[in-house]
Protein backbone atom coordinates (compact mmCIF):
# COMPACT_ATOMS: atom_id res chain seq x y z
CA UNK A 1 0.00 0.00 0.00
CA UNK A 2 1.36 3.44 -0.90
CA UNK A 3 -0.05 6.95 -0.83
CA UNK A 4 -2.22 7.53 -3.91
CA UNK A 5 -2.07 11.30 -4.59
CA UNK A 6 -1.33 14.69 -3.08
CA UNK A 7 -4.62 15.90 -1.59
CA UNK A 8 -3.68 19.18 0.02
CA UNK A 9 -0.78 21.35 1.26
CA UNK A 10 -0.35 23.83 4.07
CA UNK A 11 2.02 26.78 4.27
CA UNK A 12 2.95 28.95 7.24
CA UNK A 13 3.04 32.51 5.94
CA UNK A 14 3.81 35.91 7.47
CA UNK A 15 1.28 37.81 5.35
CA UNK A 16 -2.10 36.07 5.07
CA UNK A 17 -3.83 39.00 3.27
CA UNK A 18 -1.08 39.01 0.64
CA UNK A 19 -1.60 35.28 0.08
CA UNK A 20 -5.39 35.75 -0.22
CA UNK A 21 -4.82 38.28 -2.99
CA UNK A 22 -2.06 36.18 -4.58
CA UNK A 23 -4.02 32.94 -4.71
CA UNK A 24 -7.19 34.52 -6.10
CA UNK A 25 -5.96 37.40 -8.31
CA UNK A 26 -2.76 35.78 -9.66
CA UNK A 27 -3.41 32.03 -9.65
CA UNK A 28 -7.17 32.08 -10.11
CA UNK A 29 -7.85 29.86 -7.10
CA UNK A 30 -11.18 30.21 -5.30
CA UNK A 31 -11.21 31.23 -1.65
CA UNK A 32 -12.91 28.49 0.40
CA UNK A 33 -12.62 30.14 3.83
CA UNK A 34 -10.63 32.88 5.52
CA UNK A 35 -10.01 34.50 8.86
CA UNK A 36 -7.49 37.02 10.13
CA UNK A 37 -4.81 34.33 10.52
CA UNK A 38 -5.65 31.71 7.94
CA UNK A 39 -7.25 31.00 4.57
CA UNK A 40 -8.06 27.99 2.42
CA UNK A 41 -8.37 27.76 -1.34
CA UNK A 42 -10.04 25.54 -3.94
CA UNK A 43 -8.87 24.65 -7.44
CA UNK A 44 -11.52 21.99 -8.21
CA UNK A 45 -14.56 20.25 -6.68
CA UNK A 46 -12.79 19.44 -3.44
CA UNK A 47 -13.60 21.61 -0.41
CA UNK A 48 -10.00 22.86 -0.23
CA UNK A 49 -6.54 22.13 -1.60
CA UNK A 50 -4.21 24.82 -0.22
CA UNK A 51 -4.14 26.31 3.27
CA UNK A 52 -2.13 29.24 4.61
CA UNK A 53 -1.80 29.93 8.34
CA UNK A 54 -0.07 32.94 9.91
CA UNK A 55 3.43 32.28 11.16
CA UNK A 56 7.05 33.37 10.76
CA UNK A 57 8.56 30.58 8.66
CA UNK A 58 7.11 31.46 5.20
CA UNK A 59 7.53 27.80 4.29
CA UNK A 60 5.69 24.49 3.94
CA UNK A 61 3.84 23.48 7.10
CA UNK A 62 2.37 20.18 5.92
CA UNK A 63 1.53 17.95 3.00
CA UNK A 64 -1.68 15.90 2.90
CA UNK A 65 -1.66 12.60 1.00
CA UNK A 66 -4.75 10.67 0.04
CA UNK A 67 -5.54 6.97 0.11
CA UNK A 68 -8.81 5.49 -1.09
CA UNK A 69 -10.37 3.84 1.97
CA UNK A 70 -10.22 3.15 5.70
CA UNK A 71 -8.53 -0.17 4.93
CA UNK A 72 -5.89 1.61 2.85
CA UNK A 73 -5.28 4.07 5.66
CA UNK A 74 -4.72 1.21 8.11
CA UNK A 75 -2.46 -0.53 5.61
CA UNK A 76 -0.27 2.55 5.05
CA UNK A 77 -0.09 3.09 8.82
CA UNK A 78 1.21 -0.47 9.26
CA UNK A 79 3.67 -0.01 6.38
CA UNK A 80 5.08 3.17 7.95
CA UNK A 81 5.34 1.61 11.42
CA UNK A 82 7.04 -1.47 9.97
CA UNK A 83 9.58 0.94 8.48
CA UNK A 84 10.21 2.44 11.91
CA UNK A 85 8.23 5.64 11.30
CA UNK A 86 6.14 6.88 14.23
CA UNK A 87 2.50 7.43 13.21
CA UNK A 88 -0.19 9.36 15.10
CA UNK A 89 -3.87 8.57 14.65
CA UNK A 90 -5.37 12.05 14.65
CA UNK A 91 -8.50 13.09 16.54
CA UNK A 92 -11.99 13.33 15.09
CA UNK A 93 -11.79 17.10 15.59
CA UNK A 94 -8.71 17.49 13.40
CA UNK A 95 -10.14 15.11 10.80
CA UNK A 96 -13.30 17.21 10.77
CA UNK A 97 -11.20 20.38 10.41
CA UNK A 98 -9.52 18.86 7.33
CA UNK A 99 -12.91 17.68 6.05
CA UNK A 100 -11.83 14.02 5.93
CA UNK A 101 -13.18 10.75 7.36
CA UNK A 102 -9.91 9.40 8.73
CA UNK A 103 -6.54 11.04 9.39
CA UNK A 104 -3.08 9.94 10.51
CA UNK A 105 0.16 11.91 10.62
CA UNK A 106 3.91 11.51 10.77
CA UNK A 107 7.01 13.65 10.26
CA UNK A 108 9.50 13.31 7.42
CA UNK A 109 13.26 13.29 7.84
CA UNK A 110 13.46 17.08 7.38
CA UNK A 111 10.92 17.54 10.17
CA UNK A 112 8.03 18.37 7.83
CA UNK A 113 4.56 17.21 8.87
CA UNK A 114 2.96 14.64 6.57
CA UNK A 115 -0.74 13.90 6.90
CA UNK A 116 -2.42 10.89 5.29
CA UNK A 117 -6.19 10.67 5.02
CA UNK A 118 -9.13 9.06 3.31
CA UNK A 119 -12.61 10.47 2.68
CA UNK A 120 -12.06 14.09 1.60
CA UNK A 121 -15.02 16.42 1.07
CA UNK A 122 -16.37 16.95 -2.45
CA UNK A 123 -18.46 20.08 -3.08
CA UNK A 124 -20.16 19.32 -6.39
CA UNK A 125 -23.06 21.43 -5.21
CA UNK A 126 -20.72 24.45 -5.08
CA UNK A 127 -18.94 24.33 -8.45
CA UNK A 128 -15.37 25.60 -8.63
CA UNK A 129 -15.43 29.00 -10.36
CA UNK A 130 -12.05 30.65 -10.92
CA UNK A 131 -12.06 34.39 -10.02
CA UNK A 132 -9.71 35.02 -12.96
CA UNK A 133 -11.49 32.74 -15.43
CA UNK A 134 -8.97 29.90 -15.39
CA UNK A 135 -10.55 27.10 -17.44
CA UNK A 136 -9.75 24.57 -14.72
CA UNK A 137 -6.86 22.76 -13.09
CA UNK A 138 -5.64 19.21 -13.79
CA UNK A 139 -6.21 17.34 -10.54
CA UNK A 140 -8.31 14.16 -9.94
CA UNK A 141 -6.30 10.91 -9.85
CA UNK A 142 -3.13 12.95 -10.34
CA UNK A 143 -3.65 14.89 -7.13
CA UNK A 144 -3.75 18.68 -7.09
CA UNK A 145 -0.16 19.42 -8.25
CA UNK A 146 3.48 18.93 -7.25
CA UNK A 147 6.11 20.49 -5.02
CA UNK A 148 9.89 20.51 -4.69
CA UNK A 149 11.64 20.35 -1.33
CA UNK A 150 15.25 21.09 -0.42
CA UNK A 151 16.33 18.51 2.14
CA UNK A 152 19.54 18.35 4.20
CA UNK A 153 19.91 14.55 3.81
CA UNK A 154 18.72 13.28 0.43
CA UNK A 155 19.29 9.58 1.23
CA UNK A 156 17.22 9.77 4.41
CA UNK A 157 14.47 11.67 2.59
CA UNK A 158 14.40 9.18 -0.29
CA UNK A 159 14.19 6.31 2.20
CA UNK A 160 11.19 7.99 3.91
CA UNK A 161 9.26 8.83 0.74
CA UNK A 162 10.16 5.76 -1.34
CA UNK A 163 10.48 2.96 1.23
CA UNK A 164 8.03 4.60 3.65
CA UNK A 165 5.25 6.28 1.66
CA UNK A 166 5.73 4.12 -1.45
CA UNK A 167 6.78 6.67 -4.09
CA UNK A 168 8.62 5.54 -7.23
CA UNK A 169 11.53 7.29 -8.91
CA UNK A 170 10.59 8.84 -12.30
CA UNK A 171 13.98 10.29 -13.22
CA UNK A 172 16.93 12.38 -12.05
CA UNK A 173 18.15 15.76 -13.30
CA UNK A 174 21.64 17.02 -12.52
CA UNK A 175 20.72 20.72 -12.47
CA UNK A 176 23.82 22.87 -13.00
CA UNK A 177 22.87 26.03 -11.13
CA UNK A 178 26.26 27.68 -11.66
CA UNK A 179 29.93 26.80 -12.16
CA UNK A 180 30.28 25.54 -8.62
CA UNK A 181 26.88 24.07 -7.87
CA UNK A 182 25.08 21.17 -9.53
CA UNK A 183 22.03 19.90 -7.65
CA UNK A 184 20.74 16.37 -8.15
CA UNK A 185 16.93 16.49 -8.33
CA UNK A 186 15.03 13.24 -7.68
CA UNK A 187 11.52 13.19 -9.20
CA UNK A 188 9.03 10.89 -7.50
CA UNK A 189 5.59 9.72 -8.59
CA UNK A 190 2.75 8.01 -6.73
CA UNK A 191 0.23 8.10 -9.62
CA UNK A 192 0.19 9.12 -13.31
CA UNK A 193 1.48 12.62 -12.58
CA UNK A 194 5.14 12.54 -13.66
CA UNK A 195 6.14 13.82 -10.24
CA UNK A 196 4.17 14.77 -7.17
CA UNK A 197 7.32 15.45 -5.21
CA UNK A 198 10.89 16.26 -6.19
CA UNK A 199 13.71 16.25 -3.66
CA UNK A 200 16.90 18.28 -3.88
CA UNK A 201 19.78 17.44 -1.54
CA UNK A 202 20.42 21.08 -0.74
CA UNK A 203 20.34 22.40 2.81
CA UNK A 204 18.67 25.76 2.32
CA UNK A 205 17.06 28.58 4.21
CA UNK A 206 13.69 27.33 3.07
CA UNK A 207 12.40 23.78 2.59
CA UNK A 208 10.04 24.80 -0.22
CA UNK A 209 11.54 25.50 -3.63
CA UNK A 210 8.12 25.71 -5.35
CA UNK A 211 4.69 24.20 -5.64
CA UNK A 212 3.01 23.67 -9.02
CA UNK A 213 -0.52 23.98 -10.35
CA UNK A 214 -1.37 22.60 -13.81
CA UNK A 215 -4.08 24.28 -15.88
CA UNK A 216 -6.31 22.63 -18.46
CA UNK A 217 -5.57 25.14 -21.25
CA UNK A 218 -2.28 26.70 -22.37
CA UNK A 219 -3.81 30.17 -22.46
CA UNK A 220 -4.43 29.95 -18.71
CA UNK A 221 -0.63 29.88 -18.33
CA UNK A 222 -0.07 32.81 -20.68
CA UNK A 223 -2.75 34.92 -19.03
CA UNK A 224 -1.25 34.26 -15.61
CA UNK A 225 2.25 34.95 -16.96
CA UNK A 226 1.14 38.45 -17.99
CA UNK A 227 -0.11 39.11 -14.45
CA UNK A 228 3.26 38.16 -12.95
CA UNK A 229 5.13 40.07 -15.66
CA UNK A 230 3.03 43.18 -15.05
CA UNK A 231 4.26 43.53 -11.48
CA UNK A 232 7.76 42.19 -12.06
CA UNK A 233 7.36 38.89 -10.20
CA UNK A 234 8.35 36.40 -12.92
CA UNK A 235 11.21 34.36 -11.44
CA UNK A 236 11.84 32.04 -14.42
CA UNK A 237 10.51 32.66 -17.92
CA UNK A 238 8.24 30.38 -19.90
CA UNK A 239 9.87 27.09 -20.79
CA UNK A 240 9.32 23.40 -21.37
CA UNK A 241 10.78 20.81 -19.00
CA UNK A 242 12.93 17.94 -20.23
CA UNK A 243 11.34 15.25 -18.06
CA UNK A 244 7.60 15.88 -17.81
CA UNK A 245 7.43 18.15 -20.90
CA UNK A 246 5.39 20.68 -18.91
CA UNK A 247 5.15 24.15 -20.45
CA UNK A 248 5.37 26.48 -17.48
CA UNK A 249 6.85 29.55 -15.81
CA UNK A 250 7.80 30.29 -12.20
CA UNK A 251 6.52 33.29 -10.28
CA UNK A 252 7.31 34.69 -6.85
CA UNK A 253 4.88 34.02 -4.01
CA UNK A 254 4.49 36.43 -1.08
CA UNK A 255 6.64 34.01 0.99
CA UNK A 256 9.77 34.07 -1.14
CA UNK A 257 9.53 30.57 -2.60
CA UNK A 258 8.11 30.13 -6.10
CA UNK A 259 4.94 28.87 -7.71
CA UNK A 260 5.22 26.98 -10.99
CA UNK A 261 2.19 27.45 -13.24
CA UNK A 262 2.03 24.98 -16.09
CA UNK A 263 0.13 23.07 -18.74
CA UNK A 264 0.53 20.03 -20.94
CA UNK A 265 2.67 17.63 -18.89
CA UNK A 266 3.07 14.02 -20.00
CA UNK A 267 2.17 11.28 -17.54
CA UNK A 268 4.17 8.33 -16.31
CA UNK A 269 3.01 5.32 -18.32
CA UNK A 270 3.17 1.60 -17.38
CA UNK A 271 6.64 0.27 -18.15
CA UNK A 272 8.20 3.70 -17.48
CA UNK A 273 11.98 3.44 -17.29
CA UNK A 274 14.15 5.75 -15.22
CA UNK A 275 16.47 8.07 -17.15
CA UNK A 276 18.62 11.05 -16.26
CA UNK A 277 18.99 14.57 -17.67
CA UNK A 278 21.58 17.33 -17.55
CA UNK A 279 19.03 20.09 -18.15
CA UNK A 280 15.73 20.99 -16.51
CA UNK A 281 14.34 22.45 -19.75
CA UNK A 282 14.18 21.70 -23.47
CA UNK A 283 13.93 25.46 -23.93
CA UNK A 284 13.25 28.54 -21.80
CA UNK A 285 12.94 28.70 -17.99
CA UNK A 286 15.59 31.46 -17.84
CA UNK A 287 16.10 33.09 -14.46
CA UNK A 288 14.84 36.68 -14.40
CA UNK A 289 17.16 38.80 -12.27
CA UNK A 290 15.47 41.11 -9.77
CA UNK A 291 16.83 44.17 -11.66
CA UNK A 292 15.47 42.97 -15.01
CA UNK A 293 12.07 42.22 -13.54
CA UNK A 294 11.59 45.76 -12.32
CA UNK A 295 13.01 47.28 -15.50
CA UNK A 296 10.89 45.20 -17.88
CA UNK A 297 7.55 45.92 -16.22
CA UNK A 298 8.28 49.63 -15.50
CA UNK A 299 9.62 50.19 -19.03
CA UNK A 300 6.46 48.73 -20.50
CA UNK A 301 4.37 50.86 -18.14
CA UNK A 302 6.32 54.02 -19.07
CA UNK A 303 5.95 53.26 -22.77
CA UNK A 304 2.17 52.88 -22.37
CA UNK A 305 1.99 56.20 -20.50
CA UNK A 306 3.98 57.93 -23.29
CA UNK A 307 1.65 56.50 -25.91
CA UNK A 308 -1.35 57.71 -23.90
CA UNK A 309 0.25 61.19 -23.57
CA UNK A 310 0.83 61.30 -27.31
CA UNK A 311 -2.69 60.19 -28.15
CA UNK A 312 -4.27 62.67 -25.78
CA UNK A 313 -2.02 65.59 -26.77
CA UNK A 314 -3.96 68.33 -28.58
CA UNK A 315 -3.46 68.22 -32.33
CA UNK A 316 -0.63 70.52 -33.40
CA UNK A 317 -2.06 73.73 -34.83
C1 LIG B 1 13.02 22.24 -11.70
C2 LIG B 1 12.09 21.28 -12.43
C3 LIG B 1 12.59 20.40 -13.37
C4 LIG B 1 11.72 19.56 -14.05
C5 LIG B 1 10.36 19.58 -13.79
C6 LIG B 1 9.86 20.48 -12.84
O1 LIG B 1 8.54 20.55 -12.54
C7 LIG B 1 10.71 21.30 -12.17
O2 LIG B 1 10.20 22.17 -11.25
FE1 LIG C 1 8.15 21.87 -10.86
Amino acid sequence: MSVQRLGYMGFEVADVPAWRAFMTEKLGAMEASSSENSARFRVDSRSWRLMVEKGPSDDISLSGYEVDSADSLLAIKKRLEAHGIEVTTESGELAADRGVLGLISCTDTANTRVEIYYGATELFEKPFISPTGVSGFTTGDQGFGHYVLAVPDIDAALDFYVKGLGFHLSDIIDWKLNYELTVKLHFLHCNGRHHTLALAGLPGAKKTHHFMLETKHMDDVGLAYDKFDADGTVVMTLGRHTNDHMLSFYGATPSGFAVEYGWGARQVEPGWSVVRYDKISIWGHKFVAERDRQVSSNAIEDELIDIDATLSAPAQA
Side-chain angles (χ1 to χ4, degrees), residues 146 148 173 175 185 187 195 210 241 243-244 250 260 280:
H146 78 232
V148 176
I173 300 181
W175 186 7
L185 296 174
F187 294 83
H195 57 284
H210 71 274
H241 282 306
N243 57 3
D244 65 357
Y250 295 72
E260 181 183 4
I280 66 163

Side-chain angles (χ1 to χ4, degrees), residues 175 225 234-238 248-251 280 285-288:
W175 186 7
Y225 184 89
V234 172
V235 172
M236 288 171 74
T237 61
L238 283 164
S248 65
F249 72 92
Y250 295 72
I280 66 163
H285 287 141
K286 304 304 179 195
F287 280 104
V288 179

Side-chain angles (χ1 to χ4, degrees), residues 190-219:
C190 59
N191 52 56
R193 186 180 292 284
H194 171 273
H195 57 284
T196 291
L197 171 63
L199 296 170
L202 187 69
K206 285 188 190 299
K207 296 175 181 177
T208 312
H209 179 267
H210 71 274
F211 71 95
M212 187 283 306
L213 293 175
E214 183 177 8
T215 62
K216 288 187 171 162
H217 290 160
M218 182 174 64
D219 287 346

Side-chain angles (χ1 to χ4, degrees), residues 65-189:
Y65 283 95
E66 184 169 289
V67 294
D68 294 328
S69 68
D71 288 347
S72 300
L73 193 64
L74 185 59
I76 191 83
K77 179 174 186 290
K78 287 183 176 160
R79 175 187 174 129
L80 289 167
E81 287 170 339
H83 199 63
I85 295 166
E86 187 182 339
V87 179
T88 301
T89 298
E90 294 294 350
S91 67
E93 287 75 21
L94 190 61
D97 172 77
R98 302 293 196 250
V100 301
L101 291 173
L103 180 68
I104 62 175
S105 67
C106 57
T107 304
D108 80 1
T109 51
N111 199 31
T112 302
R113 180 176 172 85
V114 177
E115 297 183 352
I116 307 169
Y117 70 86
Y118 85 97
T121 300
E122 288 280 9
L123 290 181
F124 293 121
E125 70 278 17
K126 293 179 184 167
F128 168 72
I129 298 171
S130 165
T132 60
V134 171
S135 63
F137 293 93
T138 300
T139 60
D141 285 345
Q142 294 190 62
F144 87 81
H146 78 232
Y147 61 115
V148 176
L149 293 180
V151 293
D153 181 340
I154 186 68
D155 295 325
L158 285 168
D159 181 74
F160 175 87
Y161 285 100
V162 174
K163 300 272 177 49
L165 292 183
F167 277 87
H168 301 281
L169 181 67
S170 304
D171 42 45
I172 286 179
I173 300 181
D174 288 310
W175 186 7
K176 188 175 169 62
L177 284 172
N178 58 41
Y179 290 106
E180 289 87 38
L181 184 60
T182 295
V183 179
K184 193 178 284 290
L185 296 174
H186 295 76
F187 294 83
L188 307 176
H189 64 270

Side-chain angles (χ1 to χ4, degrees), residues 310 313-317:
T310 310
Q316 297 303 322

Side-chain angles (χ1 to χ4, degrees), residues 242-309:
T242 46
N243 57 3
D244 65 357
H245 296 180
M246 174 94 72
L247 185 150
S248 65
F249 72 92
Y250 295 72
T253 71
S255 289
F257 53 83
V259 59
E260 181 183 4
Y261 208 77
W263 164 83
R266 66 175 174 167
Q267 294 192 45
V268 171
E269 302 288 345
W272 181 272
S273 61
V274 175
V275 296
R276 63 166 302 281
Y277 302 88
D278 287 310
K279 297 282 186 186
I280 66 163
S281 306
I282 300 167
W283 53 267
H285 287 141
K286 304 304 179 195
F287 280 104
V288 179
E290 193 82 23
R291 177 186 54 79
D292 296 344
R293 290 188 220 160
Q294 292 311 322
V295 167
S296 62
S297 59
N298 295 345
I300 293 168
E301 198 61 33
D302 292 346
E303 189 188 317
L304 285 177
I305 291 166
D306 289 346
I307 291 171
D308 287 348

